[in-house]
Amino acid sequence: MSNFDLHAISIKDITQTSLLTCLPNETMHDAAVKMVERNCSAILIAVDDEIIGIWTERDVLKFDFSSPDARSTPVSEGMSSPVICVNENASLEEVSLKFKKDGVRHYVVIDDHGKQRGIISQTDVIKKHNFEFFLVLKTAGSVLKPIPPMIQSTQSMAQASKLMHSSHSDAIRVEFPDESVGILTERDVVKALASLMLNPIVADHASSDLVTVNEHESLYHAKKIMLLNGFRHLGVSDNKDNLIGIINLTDILAGFRSTYVEELKESLAHRDVLLRDSLKSLGLAKKIIDNTQEGVITTDKYVVIQTCNAGFTKITGYTEEEVIGKTPGIISSGRHDKNFYYAMWEKINKYGFWQGEIWNRRKNGEVYPELLTITEIRDDETNEISNYAAIFSDISQLKSDEEEIKRLAFYDPLTELPNRRLLNDRLAQELAITGRSGKNGALLFIDLDHFKNINETLGHSAGDRVLVEVAYRLKQRVRDCDTVARISSDEFVVILTELNEQIELACNEARYIAEKLQQTICQVYSVMNHKLYISSSIGIAMFSENSDIPPDDLLKQAGTAMYRAKESGRNMLQFFQDSMQEAAMERMLIEKELRQALDENQLSLYYQPQVDYHGTLMGAEALIRWNHPKKGFIPPDKFIPIAEECGLIQAVGAWVLEQSFIHLRQWDRLQVHLPHLAINISPRQFYHDDFMGILGRLVKQYQISPSRIMLEFTEGLLMNDVDVAIDKIKQLKKLGYTFSIDDFGTGYSSLSYLKHLPVDQLKIDKSFVEDITKNEDDAVFVGTIIAIARHMNLGVVAEGVESKMELEFLKQNGCLCYQGYYFSKPLPEGQFFEHWLRKAKQ
């Protein structure tokens, strides 16, 4: 009867096979960093590819924030072991009930031979396969537990974690000084552990706004709000907007059953029993019937209606007076033929009851679906049929919800574009059609450049508005036969069909359409009183009748071409070539090895002196180097862009800052003084919430004056929102830090913002310096930069100075500070100390 069979659906398809793991001896801090970077609620502890334990957000509550050495505690001391496993062939229904029974949030998934295949969480069951379930129509108030305890925002995270642990709560309320109430969750505790802040307070990590739903709203509505916004908790309020509790995804899972239909079956079966047992006592039977929400009618043995209840009137619109003495045909919809009713009565006569879905008609003419149970009633003495009882429920809302859930399963809820699942189906169809027609097709993989900066500076609501606008623009620019899909945060895919039969002409068509899409995306966006400019990188993979390639592989090809477009400078187009696949594999390997490099101390800092015309030391720039144990030195321009894209740049940037402060402190203790040190910072590092906190901790810990630190950034940092960048720079300058624009002139230089930018120095890129004695245009350009800097009272450093002629030209044009091989190449810390700092002291 139901279109869904939860017992027939295994968890194999929704198992997460990309596992987040760490070694037993890794510290709790490092494990927490990994969890935050991957946005995971648990990390698996593995030895030789065997999982020996799991460390979850719940386990993090045991962490002692008040202990200065706690961050270095091995994660094995806090992990849960052994890890509970579940077979990959288990059904969704079995796993849902098992979560509730075991009281856990994660299972390791194994096959029939005990081999570990991945991990599954409660959220996977709810989020990824919610269209397979029917949420019981319960209210948010029906699953409320005692309201969680309250903590002041000024109290420490150590106190907060202890309170959450002792009260067995995964979230607690937070009261702020303005008397507003926010929330602190287990995930916020993990972020606190992942940060470098010592003795953090609740206000540093709590959310100040707690989103609420009314206690009478359905759990289905609460679930939609959670999944749409990425929440795991919601406040529940009464009709006077008083907060009366907090619910989480576990409560939502507790509200699931195999199907609403199954629950109705149980309810109706129970009422069937009550009716049979209570016919001897008509008073009791009437009480049961009158108080049920389902419609109930009884007929005589000739199927003439004798009674009906209030539920019948509410559902059909007919009163008791209008139906007594008539047959149930009065509410027939006409949708079922004689064969349907013949089969129904054949089953009633054989088994004594019938149950199924049927379409009937209300008094106002509206046709609606109902779940109907008809039961025959026999006389106790003669055993002859004396009556029939029919019980039914209106399942219109259930059907509507089913269609909505199916829609959500195949469409992105934010942009209403097809999602990855529907994209794969359509792509498979187009590949088959193209193979028969002889036409060519193309797959465009579109990624928005620097989109993460919008979320980090203006918030996710602003980012969502941009994504909706991008989706609208793409749909307007493609043909009716093409498909536009959104497959992740800022990644869109377009299937182009019916292209020319000649591959060269088809490529030209694909390129023309892709260029038009890029132009459309690049137009200005007005969001929250900000004007934003966004470019896009597009990878193109062609397919034709000779393309014997699975949809997933074609998508990978287009994605690989997109990454090559990004490497070419962004806002570029790139067609897929076989050589790109090799580059993609190398890229993945570098990302993996870079994570190991951070853990295994393979990184080091080199220092290149900045000097005056006579070679007198004025400062230095800290430069990161990676000495791979097998591959030797890997240049920064090869691994830094990868670190930016995969999210490792924050960890790398924090390491560079820490090492720089350590070395400055060491030199000070040896009574040698470096006037200032230039340190490069990335846009993602600059906009991160903890950036100023990290600097403050380092200054305090190593006793280094901020005035000795010059933070270098490229012009790309200003791409998304100049006002936000200027505000943050001003805050840091008040603390004493100075700023330099690195590689000036190579990016998006604008004198209009430079006039308002509170920087102290411009750094001329070596690509201009190396040709100033050969190329007149470069000479004029460099001279102009120096003149601009002098006019605006900014310092100037020329990097890449390698000859006496270059030095003389720069000096004659007013540049007084130099950096380059003419004076010194970048040196390891020890050599820099010996060759420059010790010499400067003498």
Side-chain angles (χ1 to χ4, degrees), residues 580-827:
M580 292 182 184
Q581 193 63 37
E582 299 177 7
M585 296 303 294
E586 181 184 8
R587 184 186 201 89
M588 291 175 60
L589 181 61
I590 289 178
E591 177 183 343
K592 177 182 177 182
E593 291 179 336
L594 182 56
R595 295 183 186 276
Q596 294 176 345
L598 282 166
D599 296 334
E600 298 173 3
N601 297 319
Q602 296 175 15
L603 302 178
S604 60
L605 279 190
Y606 278 46
Y607 295 90
Q608 188 169 32
Q610 296 174 341
V611 300
D612 63 11
Y613 178 77
H614 302 289
T616 302
L617 184 66
M618 300 173 67
E621 179 181 5
L623 301 167
I624 190 171
R625 295 292 183 264
W626 179 8
N627 187 10
H628 192 282
K630 294 182 180 179
K631 300 177 181 178
F633 278 97
I634 298 178
D637 58 1
K638 191 169 186 178
F639 68 85
I640 290 297
I642 296 175
E644 286 271 11
E645 292 174 8
C646 72
L648 276 176
I649 194 63
Q650 292 177 23
V652 172
W655 180 89
V656 170
L657 285 171
E658 180 103 30
Q659 292 299 309
S660 299
F661 275 74
I662 288 173
H663 290 160
L664 283 172
R665 183 59 176 163
Q666 290 175 349
W667 298 335
D668 287 349
R669 286 175 175 170
L670 294 172
Q671 297 183 350
V672 293
H673 184 74
L674 183 67
H676 88 269
L677 179 63
I679 304 173
N680 292 282
I681 53 173
S682 73
R684 294 191 66 182
Q685 183 184 9
F686 177 79
Y687 288 116
H688 196 274
D689 292 339
D690 284 344
F691 181 60
M692 293 181 66
I694 291 172
L695 286 173
R697 179 187 67 80
L698 294 173
V699 167
K700 183 177 180 181
Q701 181 175 352
Y702 297 106
Q703 298 297 302
I704 302 298
S705 172
S707 62
R708 297 172 63 188
I709 304 299
M710 176 167 281
L711 300 173
E712 288 192 1
F713 62 86
T714 61
E715 295 156 79
L717 180 140
L718 306 169
M719 275 292 292
N720 293 107
D721 198 313
V722 176
D723 294 334
V724 172
I726 290 176
D727 182 64
K728 197 161 190 176
I729 291 173
K730 286 181 177 178
Q731 292 181 52
L732 289 164
K733 283 185 68 67
K734 287 181 180 178
L735 298 175
Y737 298 97
T738 54
F739 285 85
S740 174
I741 301 181
D742 195 14
D743 300 338
F744 185 77
T746 62
Y748 302 87
S749 303
S750 170
L751 293 179
S752 62
Y753 73 64
L754 183 60
K755 180 175 62 175
H756 302 289
L757 200 60
V759 297
D760 304 274
Q761 183 186 86
L762 301 181
K763 198 167 187 182
I764 304 174
D765 186 65
K766 64 180 180 180
S767 62
F768 300 122
V769 173
E770 64 187 7
D771 287 332
I772 54 177
T773 60
K774 309 170 189 174
N775 187 303
E776 184 177 347
D777 290 338
D778 282 349
V780 172
F781 188 74
V782 169
T784 302
I785 292 176
I786 297 172
I788 291 172
R790 292 175 61 186
H791 179 74
M792 302 182 71
N793 294 319
L794 299 177
V796 181
V797 175
E799 63 177 355
V801 179
E802 297 186 358
S803 70
K804 182 69 172 178
M805 292 177 63
E806 294 169 356
L807 178 64
E808 292 297 336
F809 175 90
L810 293 166
K811 180 176 183 263
Q812 291 172 9
N813 280 269
C815 179
L816 305 178
C817 187
Y818 319 97
Q819 180 179 338
Y821 276 41
Y822 181 75
F823 296 99
S824 174
K825 65 180 181 180
L827 300 171

Side-chain angles (χ1 to χ4, degrees), residues 182 239 296 337 358 421 439 511-512 520 528 717-718 835:
N239 290 334
V296 179
D337 58 18
I358 190 171
R421 182 188 294 271
K439 295 277 188 177
R511 178 183 292 277
Y512 174 78
T520 299
M528 298 170 63
L717 180 140
L718 306 169
H835 295 170

